[in-house]
Amino acid sequence: MEIPVTTDLARTREASGLPLLAVTLGALMPGLATTILAVANGAIATDLGVGLGDLQWITSAYLLGLTGSLVLAGKLGDRFGRRRIFLLGIGGFGLTSLLIGLSTPVALIVALRVAQGVSGGLLTTNALSLLRVSVTEERLPSAIGIFNSVQGLSIAAGPVLGGVIVQALGWRWTMFINVPVAVLCLILGAAALGEVRLRTAERFDLTGTVSLVVALTALVYALIDAPSTGWAATSTIALFVVAAVAFVAFLLIERRAADPLVPLSLFRNRSFAAGAVLSVLAFFALNGGLFVVSLFWLQIQHLSATTVGIRLLPLGLAMLVGAILSGRVITRIGDRWALVIGCLLVAAGLVSSSFARLDGGYPQLAAGLTMIGIGLGLLVTATVNATVGNAPAELAGPAAGAQQTAGRLGATLGVAVLGGVMAAATSAHFTDLLDRSGLPAALTGPLTQFGSTTVAGGVAPIPDGATPHLAATLTDYTNMSFLAGMHTTMLVGAVIAAVGALMALAVRRHPRQQKAVGEADHPFVTE
């Protein structure tokens, strides 16, 4: 077992800021990949001749690969070298992006999107764990803030950039754009990052890895597929059962593993455990709420995808500001109160955003998005600091993987669960309007079945042969029901964010101070 050493070269690298630049530049690609295709669905459908189901899988396959690989990526980095796995993720992301842009069969594109997600997991987790050992404790909150601000800005800028690219060059260039970024990241990362890896003679935790990947894949697949197949469908229930069994098996395996994939000791630290749960709650409220807001602009106000992307800019810019300020805020008041303030700002922003109007109301929505962005900038940085910052340096890889996985699961849960709340609330309001409309029961009865599907998607269920008056009435009912559902959904998201503020009180005010590299017998080496 070797003792890590902080070399003069490592100190010079940190002082130059090049390690931070290398990992934050790498964070651009996974962020963009999350949202850049949101405005390209029409172009993809026309080019490939596919329907809604195929489009959903082209989008969701990336999330499937990303979520399933984040924890494993941390362990691979610890065993084979964080820098090596980070650069492998960069190269894989660039290569899969190139191949997606050149491909036509839908099945191949979906498979490549899964591989692209895996590459995103490799680079994202190891970027965070590299920061943990490349930056001093004093500079870590600021470094994490910058890292998260770049990720947040790239996610928010995705729809805008995607709209411009699709209009000018076609949807395939939304993938090609990653190639030069990957090449630049490879060059910079190879020059600026030192290698960090654990020294261990233990066997790789293969059974733990398989059980966790099966659990996460089954869970994410079920959450993605349930809205179309049904929550009570046999296939959905079977997937949830598989996920539960695999997760229980994972916990039992990890308790006895000599070199566990995720050391369960991490969760004995209350700050780490609370931070992981807060990652789920934060992205649950955010992604579920934004899904509804975007749908409102697209389907109810009939704005273009590019315009919607522009309207989301206050969120990205505010998140950038919040993330930049987060380092100073956390240093001054600690993780706990930064998390509380962040959760409350997200809750207030969701409440503000719930009061949308059919005839406009953008200033209030923009104000809500701004509060959400600032709150999220604080929240994400403090969450990473509470988890990765509280983990010993030699466990930074598994800690980063667990935190990132929690956030991605929260995002998936938010869209699925709050989407269900939206469907139920919209359906109830639509049925109530039909019951009080005075229209014949023979007409309104069959229409109620569309409340949780078509109407919740912002489309009026106008039957064939409907008179202009009936069509206008059903359109009004659809708009009012959607707005009522949106109000309920945003308030539910706000309550969840407020619950997060209470949970944040369990986090220590400041991360447990870990000894710097070179001061302890950690079984890893830097080069």
Side-chain angles (χ1 to χ4, degrees):
M1 186 177 295
E2 300 183 39
I3 299 175
V5 178
T6 302
T7 64
D8 291 338
L9 177 59
R11 284 192 288 268
T12 301
R13 284 169 172 158
E14 181 187 352
S16 70
L18 287 179
L20 178 59
L21 177 60
V23 297
T24 51
L25 188 60
L28 275 172
M29 296 188 296
L32 284 174
T34 303
T35 56
I36 199 168
L37 285 184
V39 297
N41 284 334
I44 295 173
T46 301
D47 183 32
L48 302 179
V50 298
L52 179 61
D54 288 329
L55 290 175
Q56 287 176 322
W57 272 111
I58 289 173
T59 299
S60 301
Y62 173 78
L63 182 63
L64 193 64
L66 180 68
T67 306
S69 64
L70 286 164
V71 172
L72 175 60
K75 198 63 177 179
L76 291 174
D78 287 344
R79 179 169 286 265
F80 300 109
R82 295 173 186 175
R83 172 179 175 271
R84 182 177 291 112
I85 300 300
F86 172 75
L87 294 179
L88 178 64
I90 294 288
F93 204 98
L95 179 60
T96 52
S97 297
L98 175 64
L99 294 176
I100 291 169
L102 296 173
S103 300
T104 298
V106 174
L108 177 59
I109 291 175
V110 169
L112 287 170
R113 283 282 283 171
V114 173
Q116 187 183 44
V118 171
S119 298
L122 295 180
L123 72 91
T124 301
T125 297
N126 284 285
L128 278 171
S129 59
L130 281 167
L131 274 184
R132 175 66 182 84
V133 296
S134 299
V135 178
T136 60
E137 295 286 348
E138 294 75 18
R139 295 181 60 188
L140 187 60
S142 296
I144 292 173
I146 294 171
F147 177 84
N148 285 325
S149 68
V150 171
Q151 276 198 315
L153 190 59
S154 64
I155 290 171
V160 180
L161 182 61
V164 172
I165 291 174
V166 170
Q167 265 188 305
L169 301 169
W171 76 269
R172 295 180 184 276
W173 282 91
T174 62
M175 294 292 105
F176 292 149
I177 192 175
N178 289 317
V179 178
V181 177
V183 171
L184 179 59
C185 286
L186 283 173
I187 296 172
L188 184 60
L193 297 172
E195 186 59 282
V196 178
R197 66 182 181 274
L198 286 178
R199 287 296 194 194
T200 176
E202 304 291 351
R203 295 180 60 187
F204 189 77
D205 184 14
L206 182 60
T207 53
T209 298
V210 172
S211 60
L212 182 61
V213 170
V214 169
L216 291 175
T217 302
L219 177 59
V220 173
Y221 193 105
L223 291 172
I224 292 170
D225 202 43
S228 58
T229 60
W231 291 93
T234 302
S235 60
T236 302
I237 294 173
L239 284 168
F240 281 130
V241 170
V242 169
V245 171
F247 185 68
V248 171
F250 170 72
L251 292 178
L252 295 175
I253 291 167
E254 295 306 278
R255 289 180 62 183
R256 304 181 63 179
D259 185 22
L261 183 68
V262 180
L264 299 184
S265 60
L266 285 171
F267 293 91
R268 297 191 191 108
N269 182 311
R270 74 182 190 193
S271 293
F272 181 92
V277 174
L278 281 170
S279 294
V280 174
L281 294 183
F283 286 96
F284 182 101
L286 174 74
N287 285 61
L290 288 184
F291 176 77
V292 176
V293 171
S294 299
L295 201 59
F296 169 72
W297 281 329
L298 288 167
Q299 299 294 84
I300 302 300
Q301 293 193 335
H302 304 291
L303 302 177
S304 69
T306 303
T307 302
V308 171
I310 293 172
R311 287 192 166 205
L312 286 173
L313 277 178
L315 172 70
L317 295 176
M319 187 175 176
L320 176 63
V321 172
I324 290 173
L325 295 176
S326 61
R328 295 180 182 177
V329 172
I330 291 172
T331 300
R332 179 165 295 185
I333 66 175
D335 292 329
R336 177 193 301 164
W337 295 111
L339 287 166
V340 170
I341 294 170
C343 286
L344 292 178
L345 280 172
V346 171
L350 289 169
V351 171
S352 176
S353 300
S354 71
F355 296 102
R357 301 197 311 269
L358 295 176
D359 58 350
Y362 178 67
Q364 187 158 0
L365 278 171
L369 291 174
T370 300
M371 284 189 284
I372 292 171
I374 294 174
L376 196 67
L378 284 173
L379 188 57
V380 174
T381 303
T383 298
V384 175
N385 210 43
T387 50
V388 181
N390 269 286
E394 74 274 16
L395 296 182
Q403 188 276 331
Q404 290 287 307
T405 301
R408 294 307 185 278
L409 284 177
T412 310
L413 281 167
V415 174
V417 176
L418 289 185
V421 171
M422 175 71 182
T426 302
S427 178
H429 196 269
F430 186 67
T431 299
D432 183 59
L433 288 176
L434 289 177
D435 290 343
R436 295 188 287 109
S437 67
L439 294 171
L443 173 65
T444 60
L447 289 176
T448 58
Q449 64 180 309
F450 297 105
S452 61
T453 54
T454 306
V455 175
V459 178
I462 301 173
D464 294 336
T467 64
H469 175 72
L470 178 59
T473 299
L474 292 176
T475 299
D476 288 342
Y477 286 178
T478 295
N479 291 343
M480 289 186 288
S481 299
F482 186 98
L483 216 55
M486 177 177 173
H487 180 77
T488 300
T489 303
M490 302 297 270
L491 290 181
V492 169
V495 170
I496 291 170
V499 169
L502 294 176
M503 183 164 292
L505 296 175
V507 175
R508 290 184 176 88
R509 186 172 183 271
H510 291 285
R512 183 179 62 196
Q513 292 299 309
Q514 306 295 338
K515 292 184 179 181
V517 175
E519 296 178 3
D521 269 346
H522 294 324
F524 70 94
V525 295
T526 59
E527 297 172 3

